[in-house]
Amino acid sequence: MAVKKIAVIGAGVSGLGAIKCCLEEGLEPTCFEKNSDIGGLWRYEETPEIGRAGIYKSLTCNTSKEMTAFSDYPFPDHFPNYMHNLKMMEYLRMYAKHFGLMKHIQLQTKVCSIRKRPDFSSSGQWDVVVEADEVQKTYVFDGIMVCSGRYSEKHFPLQDFAGITNFQGRYLHSWEYKHPGSFEGKRVVVVGIGNSGADVASEISRVAEQVFLSTRRGAWIWNRVWEHGNPMDASLFTRYNKTVQKFYPECLINRRIEKKLNLRFNHANYGLLPQHGIFGHRTVLSDDLPNRIIIGKVQIKPNVKEFTSTSVIFEDGTEESTDVVIFATGYTLSFPFLNDDSTILDSQHSMFKYVFPPALEKPTLAFIGIIQPVGAIIPTSELQSRWVVRVFAGLKELPSKRDMMADINRKKQKVPKEDRKKILRDAGRVQFIDYMDEIASELGVKPNLLSLFLWDAKLAKEIFWGPCTPYQYRLQGPGKWAGARAAILTQRERMLKPLRTRVLKPSQTSLSFLLWVKSTCVVTFFFISMLAIMHITSH
């Protein structure tokens, strides 16, 4: 039987994982990347290019390394827990080299169109037209994995802002922002309080005269460092916490975490308190924003009402003279290479588990990594790819169209009514462990805790109480990795390694302990002496 040929669109984190998964199942991948290098979102370029992701120079990962790693390739132990984009690129190059992925990638090759072949209903094959060096070429593929990402087409709703055409200052999308130098001494309004909005406002405030951060609905602000200095996601994303959530009312869980976040700073006092609960909207992670607000360099403002030629008027009636406006208004899904075919994408971008179009006659096209997990995208998209290649190889079947649509509709009903109009832009916000387990169950690689507690209690304890790292999904089933157990049991060591750059000698530790004992004895002796004196004087 001929080896099936698979087209992988994009060589970012999702595309690299897809290539490797194809090779695992004996498929023949060809990856088309329109840029001159791999990395996708994580490759910084000084000049933004239309149609590709744009990041700012200081961009640092919001998820920690143990939660972010590919499931059979842990980060080096000396890498920091939260990585700058240069470190992420270093890791991706290491991954590509280790698994021999580069020979399957055609750089500077743009995918122009993807169309069903005339015999698609029986063959499931696709015609793919690509262009390189101004020359077009057509390929025939047995399967398509769309890994082009969701951060290249900016959502720039200028029509929603009255008077913007009269504004004489500069305005841009956060996609264009690179570094704060050009904003020195300016009065800047940042519209939108997602992760980018919070980052950009905080960074620019170090050089600008004043920054105003405009938010319609407020936000709960998380930070990377959690209790005892551990990474936030590694502390919270555990199977133990997920089990507790099933038995506790959501309102009590919300109240507990909201109280925790308000201990750092009171969101109401800072003008950030949202109307939604802690899990009712996308997470905003910012280490710097509260610090910039408390020193007055960032002021929180409500939604923009309108623009004048030189200022911004907010809905509370306040008006601020403004030099620059940055719209941190997010991105929208865009697949310009797909023709207008409702069996591929309907008007609501309906997909089974956010991966497979349910109306296709043959399940030979899949979307990888276009969801927004509350957690890391690398292990999420990798698990999707592992499932997809099993379907492409004929080793796994999808449910009927009717059952897939029922699953899609159930998920849509869970989206709050006020957010349904944004479904095309948000394209599925999912909880990390829930979604990973859901895909793992389809694939047959979800860890069996009961069995582990019986046969490997040490491992089971770390899986249940420790962070839900990607290695858990390599313990059993298709793609089982012999190093998974060791990776799980040593994950805490890799978290601590980059932090312990000044290790106390045993003598220093002992001295600190002796000083503590000595001071405790002095206090105790003083307290007993005072009691004795009081006893004597009373007689």
Side-chain angles (χ1 to χ4, degrees):
M1 184 177 178
V3 176
K4 290 188 176 181
K5 297 181 178 181
I6 309 298
V8 177
I9 316 302
V13 296
S14 297
L16 293 175
I19 299 169
K20 194 257 188 181
C21 290
C22 284
L23 296 174
E24 280 184 323
E25 289 297 341
L27 305 177
E28 184 181 324
T30 301
C31 178
F32 300 110
E33 170 55 58
K34 63 183 175 183
N35 297 298
S36 59
D37 199 1
I38 65 171
L41 171 70
W42 291 102
R43 186 171 68 88
Y44 174 78
E45 288 286 342
E46 184 67 25
T47 303
E49 301 173 20
I50 295 176
R52 75 172 296 266
I55 61 173
Y56 34 96
K57 196 170 186 177
S58 62
L59 182 67
T60 300
C61 192
N62 283 340
T63 55
S64 64
K65 66 176 181 179
E66 292 305 307
M67 303 297 292
T68 303
F70 286 103
S71 61
D72 56 356
Y73 195 73
F75 281 88
D77 58 2
H78 66 278
F79 272 37
N81 281 283
Y82 290 97
M83 288 156 295
H84 182 264
N85 58 81
L86 291 177
K87 276 293 181 188
M88 280 294 296
M89 280 300 300
E90 185 179 346
Y91 173 71
L92 295 177
R93 294 190 197 286
M94 291 167 59
Y95 179 79
K97 181 179 180 180
H98 181 79
F99 291 108
L101 307 183
M102 292 304 299
K103 61 187 176 183
H104 301 282
I105 302 173
Q106 295 186 21
L107 298 172
Q108 294 184 303
T109 304
K110 177 185 176 182
V111 176
C112 301
S113 68
I114 297 174
R115 300 179 184 276
K116 297 175 182 175
R117 302 211 79 208
D119 63 347
F120 179 83
S121 58
S122 58
S123 70
Q125 291 182 322
W126 302 82
D127 284 323
V128 178
V129 179
V130 303
E131 182 178 311
D133 297 323
E134 299 183 349
V135 176
Q136 290 193 349
K137 184 177 180 180
T138 301
Y139 292 84
V140 176
F141 286 102
D142 299 295
I144 308 288
M145 300 176 79
V146 180
C147 309
S148 52
R150 57 173 300 108
Y151 296 106
S152 56
E153 187 71 26
K154 56 193 176 190
H155 180 63
F156 208 178
L158 294 179
Q159 70 281 358
D160 295 341
F161 295 91
I164 186 65
T165 55
N166 300 322
F167 181 63
Q168 295 176 1
R170 178 188 175 200
Y171 60 86
L172 64 153
H173 192 276
S174 57
W175 172 85
E176 302 171 62
Y177 173 78
K178 295 300 175 182
H179 37 68
S182 62
F183 300 91
E184 186 171 354
K186 305 291 186 182
R187 293 174 65 83
V188 182
V189 172
V190 178
V191 179
I193 197 174
N195 289 324
S196 296
D199 278 354
V200 169
S202 299
E203 185 169 84
I204 289 176
S205 72
R206 298 184 181 277
V207 300
E209 176 187 324
Q210 184 63 56
V211 172
F212 305 96
L213 179 54
S214 169
T215 171
R216 176 184 288 111
R217 60 194 302 172
W220 291 104
I221 308 298
W222 301 69
N223 63 314
R224 292 178 176 86
V225 181
W226 203 246
E227 293 175 345
H228 310 294
N230 293 320
M232 182 268 286
D233 55 352
S235 300
L236 294 181
F237 296 170
T238 70
R239 294 190 178 278
Y240 168 77
N241 286 339
K242 183 57 63 177
T243 302
V244 169
Q245 289 176 19
K246 291 180 180 179
F247 293 99
Y248 273 74
E250 185 176 335
C251 61
L252 293 181
I253 295 172
N254 285 351
R255 191 179 306 166
R256 178 177 177 273
I257 299 182
E258 288 166 12
K259 182 179 179 180
K260 171 78 176 176
L261 295 183
N262 275 326
L263 283 175
R264 182 187 176 208
F265 73 95
N266 188 302
H267 285 60
N269 293 343
Y270 281 58
L272 287 167
L273 185 67
Q275 295 181 348
H276 60 268
I278 196 75
F279 299 117
H281 199 56
R282 282 176 292 177
T283 299
V284 177
L285 192 149
S286 175
D287 300 318
D288 295 334
L289 184 60
N291 304 324
R292 308 311 296 170
I293 295 173
I294 203 169
I295 65 172
K297 296 300 291 183
V298 174
Q299 290 184 22
I300 302 299
K301 289 287 188 177
N303 198 37
V304 172
K305 180 181 179 182
E306 61 180 310
F307 289 87
T308 71
S309 60
T310 59
S311 66
V312 175
I313 301 174
F314 299 95
E315 288 184 346
D316 61 358
T318 57
E319 183 174 355
E320 301 290 350
S321 59
T322 304
D323 300 305
V324 185
V325 180
I326 300 177
F327 290 90
T329 46
Y331 298 84
T332 186
L333 284 175
S334 177
F335 307 106
F337 43 80
L338 292 176
N339 64 324
D340 188 15
D341 186 338
S342 61
T343 64
I344 300 175
L345 281 180
D346 61 17
S347 61
Q348 292 295 309
H349 290 184
S350 301
M351 301 173 209
F352 178 54
K353 301 193 184 300
Y354 308 105
V355 176
F356 285 102
L360 274 180
E361 303 98 302
K362 296 285 185 179
T364 56
L365 183 144
F367 294 87
I368 307 297
I370 64 168
I371 57 173
Q372 296 186 91
V374 182
I377 187 64
I378 287 180
T380 315
S381 64
E382 182 198 30
L383 203 51
Q384 289 177 330
S385 291
R386 291 172 63 191
W387 177 36
V388 166
V389 297
R390 297 283 291 179
V391 173
F392 284 180
L395 301 172
K396 181 72 180 177
E397 289 187 3
L398 295 181
S400 67
K401 177 183 176 181
R402 179 180 177 180
D403 289 343
M404 287 192 286
M405 286 305 303
D407 182 81
I408 291 168
N409 290 329
R410 279 195 299 271
K411 286 182 169 62
K412 286 181 179 179
Q413 292 303 313
K414 293 180 180 179
V415 177
K417 289 183 179 180
E418 62 270 20
D419 289 343
R420 288 178 191 173
K421 61 183 178 182
K422 299 187 299 181
I423 195 167
L424 295 184
R425 184 157 59 90
D426 288 349
R429 188 171 66 96
V430 298
Q431 298 301 319
F432 184 72
I433 298 179
D434 289 344
Y435 185 75
M436 293 279 281
D437 279 354
E438 185 177 355
I439 302 301
S441 296
E442 293 289 332
L443 186 57
V445 298
K446 180 181 175 181
N448 188 329
L449 272 175
L450 179 60
S451 176
L452 285 172
F453 269 115
L454 292 173
W455 302 107
D456 195 339
K458 182 179 180 181
L459 179 62
K461 289 176 182 177
E462 182 64 15
I463 288 176
F464 185 67
W465 277 285
C468 185
T469 46
Y471 325 120
Q472 294 188 11
Y473 301 99
R474 289 282 183 178
L475 289 168
Q476 63 186 52
K480 180 180 178 180
W481 174 44
R485 182 181 188 275
I488 294 169
L489 294 178
T490 56
Q491 57 196 14
R492 296 178 191 265
E493 296 171 19
R494 287 191 298 277
M495 290 182 203
L496 290 173
K497 177 68 179 289
L499 301 175
R500 292 177 169 172
T501 53
R502 175 183 174 266
V503 181
L504 295 177
K505 297 178 181 178
S507 59
Q508 290 177 288
T509 306
S510 300
L511 180 61
S512 298
F513 177 75
L514 288 174
L515 287 172
W516 177 82
V517 171
K518 183 178 179 180
S519 61
T520 302
C521 290
V522 169
V523 172
T524 304
F525 177 78
F526 177 78
F527 181 73
I528 293 173
S529 299
M530 289 299 296
L531 287 177
I533 292 170
M534 290 173 63
H535 178 73
I536 292 171
T537 55
S538 65
H539 287 78

